Amino acid sequence: MGGDHSVTKIIKVQVISHPALLTYLKQRCLCLEVAHLYLKEVHYQRFGSAQTYFTLGWPNGDGFDTRNAYFKGFVGTGKTISTINVEGNENVLIFEGVMDFLSFVNYQTHLPKDEGILILHSTALRRQAVKYLQNKNIKKIKLYLDNDEAGEASKEFFKKSLPGIEQSDCSDIYAGHKDFNEWFVAIKKGHLS
């Protein structure tokens, strides 16, 4: 199940505590300490339904970019890019999704102080990302995009749209894997050295 569910009503937002969500974080090899810094547990309903659902949510726009074992999508309205520490930094790391960013923080064991972060949440928001970056004093971007058709198209889009900014394609780090999280999980589970 996926897609943008703007026809939802957020019921409550709380600290992550549901056992199924804790298990999901463990399956994705993400430590709870890092998850608590960036994610919430979001309970919501689809309009016209009394059923309540729960998911991990990254605050975004007037809603949440959400994930659980069965759902990947957006709950609420106003989906947009997310940025962390971009102001004042000349270098920006660009991630396609939340799980890749969280895997990066878990892998590095810290958030880089001299680099900003931009999370697309969807390659469909790459135009918004370019517009945002054009208004900053950015010298270099490092792209942590998926190893798929949309990721490749986005790399080309950034190259053409931001010609004055040095760009590094970091997907070689996780070559042979769909994305940073899939590679990170393989390392943590001992499938890679």
Side-chain angles (χ1 to χ4, degrees), residues 1-5 46 66-67 70-74:
M1 199 193 283
D4 189 329
H5 292 274
R46 294 188 180 110
T66 63
R67 302 285 183 280
Y70 307 102
F71 177 75
K72 175 182 177 181
F74 189 78

Side-chain angles (χ1 to χ4, degrees), residues 72 96 145-148 174 176-180 182-183:
K72 175 182 177 181
E96 192 165 320
L145 304 177
D146 290 1
N147 285 320
D148 61 12
Y174 44 97
H177 296 274
K178 179 185 178 289
D179 56 27
F180 197 100
E182 185 180 276
W183 172 77

Side-chain angles (χ1 to χ4, degrees), residues 73-87:
F74 189 78
V75 173
T77 59
K79 187 172 184 175
T80 185
I81 60 171
S82 295
T83 61
I84 303 169
N85 300 332
V86 172
E87 297 298 326

Side-chain angles (χ1 to χ4, degrees), residues 16-55:
I16 304 163
S17 62
H18 195 285
L21 297 178
L22 297 173
T23 298
Y24 178 68
L25 286 170
K26 190 173 183 179
Q27 289 168 342
R28 301 296 291 260
C29 297
L30 301 173
C31 76
L32 190 57
E33 182 180 48
V34 170
H36 278 307
L37 292 175
Y38 301 101
L39 302 175
K40 296 292 182 192
E41 180 175 317
V42 180
H43 294 252
Y44 68 97
Q45 291 177 328
R46 294 188 180 110
F47 287 121
S49 171
Q51 176 78 28
T52 299
Y53 302 91
F54 58 90
T55 185

Side-chain angles (χ1 to χ4, degrees), residues 119-152:
I119 303 171
L120 294 173
H121 298 287
S122 167
T123 56
L125 295 177
R126 63 191 183 198
R127 285 189 189 343
Q128 189 181 113
V130 163
K131 190 173 183 178
Y132 174 84
L133 292 170
Q134 285 172 332
N135 294 318
K136 305 293 176 202
N137 187 32
I138 305 302
K139 302 280 190 255
K140 181 174 185 175
I141 59 175
K142 296 179 183 175
L143 301 168
Y144 290 87
L145 304 177
D146 290 1
N147 285 320
D148 61 12
E149 196 173 309
E152 291 303 317

